[in-house]
């Protein structure tokens, strides 16, 4: 019998969100999935999370928007995207033909925006779930401002929950005093799962120019540098909520992903690693399969949270 890698990300949701395996792509690092369709067999992934989608198209922040740092990358894209109407018209019909489920990451300037986005995407063929981005560090309104406090995080979650029958994942920010309290508030407000972490607020200065290295001064740090932070937060949150936790932050190899499972994550997202290796997510999946075969592990449940005991 091949090992069972399937994972139920929204066990309480009538719509359900069962992935064939726990390896997803992280929003903003894998476009709409279509860009990678010729690079490797993306249908083998557990799920694809698309770039953040807002009600209207957005141009994003001033350049430069991406700077390499030690062990990571600092970005300030600012939610550049084609807008929800184009996603529904141009992308969803392609996704509907895919085996791999696509989850749409949504972002708004106000709580009302989130509800409207959720309503617009509900019932659209090709959309299997929503990931509510209350964690973007690179916008002046909304984004991480909602995710920093339990009450505002819960208000956004409740608005989305009311507006949709789709499975709802809430994506959390590490830029808060108490991510566990925020996760608990989201779970109470109807989140089917939580994903963490989004990027960590950071900065770099171009010494030659004597100016901030990115256009919007600060940005979001991602990559290997943030993995220990993400892992500690996943460990804490998964001990405090009953909903599935999706781990994200610096995952570039199967060994990284296994650490997150052992800390309590039910699934993982591969983000910045894709920039250096476009098939990073598939490499992570194949490495997990090899580890399970070698260790005689029949089901992921055998390792999820094992480091907690
Ligand atoms: C260039 C870039 C764009 C991103 N865009 C989004 C986004 O649109 N929505 C979102 O929720 N997260 C976004 N993120 C955050 C990632 O999904 C992920 O949470 C973060 O990068 C940490 O994972 P990593 O270290 O594996 O990259 C973005 C990250 C990067 C590097």
């Amino acid at each position: 019998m091949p090992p069972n890698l399937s994972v139920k990300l929204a066990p309480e949701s009538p719509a359900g969100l069962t992935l064939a395996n726990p390896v997803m792509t992280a929003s903003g690092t894998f476009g709409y999935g279509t860009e990678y369709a010729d690079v490797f067999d993306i249908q083998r992934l557990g799920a694809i999370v698309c770039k953040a989608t807002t009600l209207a198209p957005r141009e994003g922040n001033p350049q430069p928007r991406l700077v390499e740092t030690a062990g990571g990358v600092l970005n300030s894209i600012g939610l550049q995207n084609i807008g929800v109407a184009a996603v529904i018209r141009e992308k969803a019909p392609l996704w509907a033909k895919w085996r791999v489920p696509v989850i749409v990451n949504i972002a708004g300037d106000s709580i009302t925006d989130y509800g409207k986005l959720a309503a617009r995407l509900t019932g659209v063929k090709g959309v299997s779930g929503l990931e509510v981005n209350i964690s973007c560090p690179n916008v002046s309104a909304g984004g991480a401002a909602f995710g920093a406090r339990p009450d505002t995080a819960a208000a956004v979650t409740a608005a989305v929950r009311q507006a949709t029958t789709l499975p709802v994942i809430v994506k959390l920010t590490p830029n808060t005093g108490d991510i566990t309290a925020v996760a608990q508030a989201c779970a109470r407000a109807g989140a089917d799962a939580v994903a963490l972490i989004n990027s960590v607020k950071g900065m770099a200065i171009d010494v030659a120019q004597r100016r901030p290295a990115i256009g919007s001064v600060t940005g979001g740090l991602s990559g290997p540098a943030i993995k220990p932070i993400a892992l500690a937060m996943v460990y804490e949150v998964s001990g405090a909520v009953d909903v599935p936790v999706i781990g994200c932050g610096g995952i570039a190899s199967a060994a990284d992903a296994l650490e997150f499972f052992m800390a309590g994550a039910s699934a993982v997202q591969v983000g910045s690693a894709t920039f250096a290796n476009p098939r990073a997510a598939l490499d992570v999946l194949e490495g997990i399969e090899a580890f399970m075969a070698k260790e005689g592990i029949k089901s992921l449940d055998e390792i999820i949270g094992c480091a907690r005991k």
Side-chain angles (χ1 to χ4, degrees):
M1 281 273 285
N4 178 12
L5 272 90
S6 76
V7 44
K8 285 191 170 65
L9 279 190
E12 304 297 327
S13 156
L17 184 59
T18 301
L19 312 190
N21 67 70
V23 181
M24 313 166 67
T25 59
S27 177
T29 63
F30 207 72
Y32 294 95
T34 45
E35 297 86 339
Y36 291 84
D38 293 335
V39 180
F40 67 91
D41 183 7
I42 59 171
Q43 306 301 331
R44 288 181 57 198
L45 296 175
I48 288 169
V49 184
C50 79
K51 175 73 197 152
T53 298
T54 51
L55 280 173
R58 277 168 93 131
E59 301 267 327
N61 285 342
Q63 299 282 359
R65 308 201 286 198
L66 213 57
V67 162
E68 246 186 274
T69 59
V73 55
L74 206 51
N75 92 83
S76 178
I77 306 295
L79 302 181
Q80 178 187 17
N81 79 100
I82 60 177
V84 69
V87 166
I88 293 170
R89 198 177 55 241
E90 295 165 21
K91 307 297 177 187
L94 304 172
W95 298 337
K97 296 187 190 133
W98 293 358
R99 187 178 75 222
V100 58
V102 177
I103 294 161
V104 177
N105 182 284
I106 57 171
D109 294 337
S110 66
I111 292 175
T112 319
D113 280 5
Y114 283 94
K116 282 187 190 162
L117 281 159
R120 292 275 296 271
L121 289 158
T122 303
V124 173
K125 278 205 176 63
V127 177
S128 296
L130 301 177
E131 184 178 74
V132 184
N133 177 358
I134 51 168
S135 44
C136 178
N138 303 321
V139 284
S140 52
F146 290 121
R149 285 182 17 208
D151 57 343
T152 46
V156 174
T157 307
V160 172
R161 180 73 288 162
Q162 263 188 346
T164 190
T165 48
L166 283 166
V168 173
I169 299 165
V170 181
K171 172 111 173 251
L172 305 180
T173 175
N175 305 312
T176 168
D178 188 352
I179 196 169
T180 303
V182 174
Q184 287 172 324
C186 293
R188 271 197 301 272
D192 292 301
V194 287
L196 58 144
I197 55 175
N198 207 313
S199 50
V200 179
K201 186 175 175 180
M203 182 178 181
I205 290 183
D206 180 334
V207 171
Q209 302 289 334
R210 304 183 185 192
R211 299 287 311 143
I214 49 175
S216 55
V217 181
T218 62
L221 181 66
S222 60
I226 70 166
K227 195 187 85 176
I229 300 171
L231 197 60
M233 289 184 167
V234 164
Y235 186 92
E236 270 175 39
V237 167
S238 58
V241 296
D242 290 329
V243 297
V245 171
I246 302 165
C248 177
I251 297 174
S253 68
D256 294 333
L258 288 163
E259 284 191 67
F260 279 84
F261 294 133
M262 291 179 185
S266 298
V268 291
Q269 295 183 351
V270 177
S272 307
T274 294
F275 300 145
N277 168 18
R279 50 167 286 150
L282 189 58
D283 288 349
V284 167
L285 172 61
E286 289 177 349
I288 294 167
E289 287 169 342
F291 175 82
M292 289 175 75
K294 183 168 129 281
E295 301 275 319
I297 298 166
K298 298 272 172 290
S299 159
L300 264 187
D301 292 336
E302 289 177 46
I303 44 172
I304 293 173
C306 70
R308 316 186 54 82
K309 290 164 193 145

